[in-house]
């Protein structure tokens, strides 16, 4: 099975330090969450999408949140800064997690954001009482949906909610699409929308709301690719050619996948069955 660490998006996560330096923020400077937002969100529509989670879940300072697949910590820091809630930010890759810890400290948010390095499938938190589980573009890396969704359910309070942005299978994939999904996106399994809903019900969720994001994500990834290619010379000055080639290849492959028409995007909000 393809190793998520080999995905080109994750090849050089320290590139954020190049971006900060180009904005006049060197390694010792204290940071604001807003300084980081253009660079630390590894999903579509950046903090707008995180705002959607805050609003639709009605997150407040009273709440405890688990983010699954927190990358270099962008969404977790933003949620904590905006709402004052406590976030446990779980990330599989140590290199990304270390960067997340550093950036969170420099933002003065370590009291609110607890970075944990590990695999959600093995996550064993004493406090199995989160109000909300949030996750952006991470479930697509995890084929074992049964364990994943059961785990999400078991760590939520009764009546707690989940907010997920993820890929799904609109139609059967062609062989080339399957190859690109596996080799370039580390995605080895995707359910259809109906299968997703059935899996959620089986794992103990109800009040399931599914919003199709395919059209807006298709446009987002196309514009991201085109903007990146247009600015590639200045990107090479900020980073180096290897980093820019990796990102260009990754952004192009993702745009190709959405253009092909069989890959879809969705947002799910669902509630753990039972009352608080
Ligand atoms: C597309 S990134 C999104 C990062 C972050 N949510 C964001 O939007 O900026 C997906 C992240 O999920 C992590 N991941 C993948 N499988 C995981 C697992 N089984 N447990 C925890 N994290 C995982 C990856 O290492 C990667 O950092």
């Amino acid at each position: 099975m393809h190793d998520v660490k080999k995905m080109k998006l994750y090849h050089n996560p320290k590139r954020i330090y190049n971006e900060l330096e180009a904005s006049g923020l060197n390694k010792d400077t204290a940071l604001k969450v807003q300084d980081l937002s253009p660079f630390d969100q590894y999903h579509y529509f950046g903090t707008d999408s995180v705002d959607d989670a805050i609003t639709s879940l009605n997150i407040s300072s009273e709440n405890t949140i688990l983010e699954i697949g927190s990358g270099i910590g962008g969404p977790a820091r933003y949620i904590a800064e905006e709402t004052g809630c406590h976030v446990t930010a779980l990330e599989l890759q140590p290199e990304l997690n270390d960067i997340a810890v550093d950036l969170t400290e420099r933002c003065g948010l370590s009291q609110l954001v607890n970075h944990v390095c590990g695999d959600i499938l093995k996550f064993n938190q004493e406090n199995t009482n989160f109000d909300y589980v949030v996750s952006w573009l991470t479930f697509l890396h995890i084929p074992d949906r049964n364990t994943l969704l059961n785990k999400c359910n078991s760590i939520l309070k009764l009546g707690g909610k989940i907010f997920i942005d993820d890929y799904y299978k609109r139609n059967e994939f062609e062989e080339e699409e399957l190859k690109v999904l596996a080799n370039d996106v580390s995605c080895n399994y995707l359910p259809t929308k109906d299968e997703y809903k059935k899996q959620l019900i089986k794992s103990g969720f109800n009040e399931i709301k599914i919003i199709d994001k395919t059209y807006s994500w298709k446009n987002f990834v196309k514009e991201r690719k085109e903007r990146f290619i247009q600015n590639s010379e200045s990107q090479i000055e900020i980073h180096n050619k290897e980093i820019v080639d990796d990102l260009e290849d990754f952004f192009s492959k993702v745009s190709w996948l959405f253009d092909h028409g069989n890959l879809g995007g969705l947002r799910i909000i669902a509630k753990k069955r039972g009352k608080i």
Side-chain angles (χ1 to χ4, degrees):
M1 183 166 296
H2 186 71
D3 178 357
V4 70
K5 298 182 184 80
K6 293 192 184 129
M7 212 172 103
K8 287 184 175 171
L9 179 66
Y10 311 134
H11 269 187
N12 288 287
K14 285 193 176 144
R15 65 180 179 270
I16 189 165
Y17 295 115
N18 302 337
E19 275 148 346
L20 293 176
E21 210 166 298
S23 314
L25 300 159
N26 66 37
K27 285 218 161 189
D28 305 315
T29 322
L31 296 169
K32 296 196 191 89
V33 168
Q34 303 92 285
D35 295 332
L36 297 171
S37 296
F39 318 117
D40 67 356
Q41 310 283 323
Y42 282 5
H43 58 265
Y44 309 146
F45 292 99
T47 55
D48 287 351
S49 164
V50 187
D51 278 327
D52 291 345
I54 294 172
T55 310
S56 52
L57 298 174
N58 201 11
I59 299 176
S60 75
S61 60
E62 311 283 294
N63 296 137
T64 53
I65 316 282
L66 173 68
E67 189 195 357
I68 300 175
S70 44
I72 56 172
R77 278 187 296 274
Y78 184 81
I79 294 171
E81 167 87 357
E82 289 293 307
T83 70
C85 73
H86 282 84
V87 185
T88 298
L90 179 70
E91 169 51 45
L92 181 68
Q93 301 182 60
E95 194 185 359
L96 274 71
N97 192 64
D98 289 348
I99 296 167
V101 170
D102 173 51
L103 297 175
T104 297
E105 267 172 26
R106 288 170 62 191
C107 288
L109 282 170
S110 303
Q111 297 292 323
L112 292 181
V113 182
N114 177 28
H115 290 284
V116 177
C117 189
D119 183 342
I120 181 60
L121 299 179
K122 298 179 187 144
F123 185 62
N124 198 3
Q125 174 93 353
E126 299 258 304
N127 166 19
T128 53
N129 242 350
F130 290 102
D131 294 299
Y132 304 120
V133 168
V134 295
S135 191
W136 283 268
L137 301 186
T138 299
F139 285 23
L140 59 97
H141 293 315
I142 307 174
D144 183 357
R145 296 301 175 102
N146 198 27
T147 308
L148 174 62
L149 293 176
N150 285 341
K151 177 74 73 174
C152 288
N153 192 273
S154 72
I155 58 188
L156 275 171
K157 272 184 186 163
L158 279 182
K161 286 186 180 170
I162 188 162
F163 177 106
I164 315 162
D165 270 6
D166 197 14
Y167 288 178
Y168 77 99
K169 180 169 74 174
R170 297 177 73 211
N171 305 297
E172 285 309 317
F173 294 113
E174 291 165 15
E175 209 170 303
E176 188 57 24
E177 290 173 288
L178 287 172
K179 252 195 243 164
V180 172
L181 279 166
N183 296 334
D184 297 284
V185 191
S186 196
C187 176
N188 291 287
Y189 163 77
L190 287 175
T192 63
K193 223 187 257 185
D194 278 354
E195 285 166 345
Y196 219 133
K197 193 169 179 185
K198 282 187 190 136
Q199 290 165 355
L200 283 159
I201 293 169
K202 191 167 159 245
S203 295
F205 289 94
N206 65 4
E207 296 185 25
I208 298 164
K209 187 171 164 194
I210 300 184
I211 303 162
D212 201 297
K213 292 279 174 186
T214 309
Y215 181 72
S216 62
W217 288 7
K218 178 182 166 181
N219 288 335
F220 177 92
V221 296
K222 183 168 189 280
E223 279 166 27
R224 175 175 74 171
K225 175 195 78 176
E226 286 170 356
R227 201 177 338 112
F228 192 81
I229 291 172
Q230 261 170 20
N231 295 330
S232 67
E233 279 185 22
S234 60
Q235 287 293 321
I236 292 172
E237 274 174 34
I238 292 171
H239 302 289
N240 59 43
K241 187 151 177 2
E242 188 197 332
I243 290 178
V244 172
D245 285 349
D246 277 354
L247 286 175
E248 186 178 319
D249 184 64
F250 176 73
F251 293 156
S252 301
K253 296 259 171 57
V254 173
S255 183
W256 177 86
L257 279 169
F258 273 99
D259 264 348
H260 238 66
N262 297 319
L263 178 65
L266 49 71
R267 169 165 299 163
I268 292 171
I269 302 163
K271 190 172 178 183
K272 175 167 172 161
R273 271 200 294 273
K275 291 198 171 84
I276 295 181

